[in-house]
């Protein structure tokens, strides 16, 4: 946990000021997770810590799922760390090509763990889980880099999904 916090601070991902989050909420801090996930050392650390959490859980997954765009590098890195194939979930269908919402191989009955960068209200995660479940996947777990502790964990619990995070907002904001 402290290792993750230190890495986020070192790479400049943890910022203070006035921000509007994707959920529309206002915040006096922001975690620029793309700054972290484009730094190879931080991305590697994230993948190793997530792989360790998965291993400690004792659960077996057929697929990892990352939501386009922010979580795809995390899913790819975690796939490399674990050997578990990954899929990408689009927020909306493209109007060209195959028009799929799920890119990559997903089979009915696959057990999937969703990877997210930051969980706030969990709205986009819940939508992605809905897409996966509609395709026949079994989704009961999500792992994120950061839990902003803003109701997302409870919202996920309401749809039968357990959240594991590498670090919580309260840990990040401790001096």
């Amino acid at each position: 946990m402290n290792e993750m916090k230190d890495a986020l601070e070192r790479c400049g991902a943890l910022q203070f000021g006035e921000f509007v989050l994707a959920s529309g909420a206002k915040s006096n801090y922001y975690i620029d997770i793309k700054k972290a996930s484009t730094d190879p050392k931080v991305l590697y650390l994230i993948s190793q810590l997530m792989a360790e959490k998965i291993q400690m859980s004792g659960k077996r997954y057929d697929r990892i799922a990352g939501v386009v765009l922010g979580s795809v590098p995390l899913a790819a890195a975690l796939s490399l760390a674990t050997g578990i194939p990954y899929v990408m979930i689009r927020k909306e269908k493209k109007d060209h090509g195959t028009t799929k919402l799920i890119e990559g191989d997903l089979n009915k009955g696959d057990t999937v763990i969703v990877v997210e960068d930051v969980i706030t209200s969990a709205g986009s995660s819940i939508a992605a889980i809905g897409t996966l479940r509609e395709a026949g996947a079994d989704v009961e777990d999500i792992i994120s880099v950061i839990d902003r502790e803003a109701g997302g964990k409870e919202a996920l619990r309401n749809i039968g999904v357990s959240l594991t995070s590498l670090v919580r907002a309260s840990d990040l904001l401790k001096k």
Side-chain angles (χ1 to χ4, degrees):
M1 174 176 52
N2 285 338
E3 189 178 11
M4 189 75 255
K5 177 184 177 184
D6 292 345
L8 292 171
E9 287 175 348
R10 260 194 321 276
C11 77
L14 181 57
Q15 302 171 14
F16 295 93
E18 292 183 24
F19 303 95
V20 176
L21 307 176
S23 64
K26 293 186 180 185
S27 177
N28 61 355
Y29 72 97
Y30 181 72
I31 300 111
D32 185 351
I33 205 71
K34 279 131 188 107
K35 193 171 192 76
S37 65
T38 56
D39 180 316
K41 289 179 181 155
V42 179
L43 181 59
Y44 178 79
L45 175 63
I46 290 168
S47 72
Q48 297 306 298
L49 293 174
M50 285 186 170
E52 189 177 292
K53 294 243 184 211
I54 288 173
Q55 185 178 19
M56 286 178 9
S57 77
K59 294 183 178 180
R60 190 188 66 77
Y61 299 100
D62 300 305
R63 297 283 182 272
I64 295 164
V67 181
V68 172
L69 171 77
S71 298
V72 170
L74 305 176
L78 184 56
S79 177
L80 289 168
T82 61
I84 302 168
Y86 76 100
V87 296
M88 297 173 282
I89 311 303
R90 294 185 184 281
K91 292 181 182 179
E92 52 192 45
K93 287 183 181 180
K94 297 184 306 178
D95 59 0
H96 62 281
T98 61
T99 70
K100 292 191 258 182
L101 281 174
I102 301 172
E103 297 291 346
D105 293 330
L106 180 71
N107 304 305
K108 276 189 187 225
D110 277 353
T111 301
V112 177
I113 185 166
V114 175
V115 176
E116 274 286 15
D117 47 11
V118 179
I119 297 287
T120 303
S121 65
S124 62
S125 302
I126 290 169
I129 290 164
T131 298
L132 288 162
R133 286 177 171 172
E134 283 175 28
D138 176 25
V139 184
E140 295 178 1
D141 298 295
I142 187 166
I143 189 166
S144 70
V145 179
I146 297 147
D147 176 4
R148 285 187 65 99
E149 299 173 295
K153 186 171 193 164
E154 295 75 18
L156 289 163
R157 189 180 311 121
N158 288 340
I159 63 162
V161 176
S162 172
L163 171 65
T164 301
S165 60
L166 300 182
V167 67
R168 297 179 317 229
S170 57
D171 300 320
L172 286 176
L173 301 175
K174 284 181 190 167
K175 295 293 177 200

